[in-house]
Amino acid sequence: MSNQPAHKLRLGLITATIWANDGFYSIDLTRSYKNADGQWQNTNNLAHSDLLNAAKCLERAEIWIGRQINAAK
């Protein structure tokens, strides 16, 4: 994987980070939250209320990746 993501998608507190590696793509899905000190942090743990935004973010990631693969042909 490169040091920079190929693309990022954000919906609410959910972020899908897309990484490219020689035509192969992987995704990190995270949720942002503020800790007790008021500092922003990220976690891979999702709450029930995050699931719809996570699903939409992943769907948009799949569309973006598909377009990259089709453009490379």
Side-chain angles (χ1 to χ4, degrees), residues 9-52:
L9 299 158
R10 185 174 184 120
L11 194 56
L13 297 173
I14 303 298
T15 302
T17 304
I18 303 170
W19 300 91
N21 186 16
D22 295 327
F24 173 78
Y25 293 92
S26 62
I27 299 168
D28 288 329
L29 189 66
T30 57
R31 179 188 188 279
S32 300
Y33 69 95
K34 282 190 177 182
N35 66 14
D37 296 327
Q39 301 295 316
W40 283 102
Q41 302 289 318
N42 292 312
T43 182
N44 295 352
N45 296 320
L46 303 178
H48 178 257
S49 60
D50 298 321
L51 296 180
L52 187 56

Side-chain angles (χ1 to χ4, degrees), residues 52-63:
L52 187 56
N53 281 349
K56 289 180 179 181
C57 233
L58 289 170
E59 180 180 31
R60 292 174 186 180
E62 193 277 331
I63 291 167

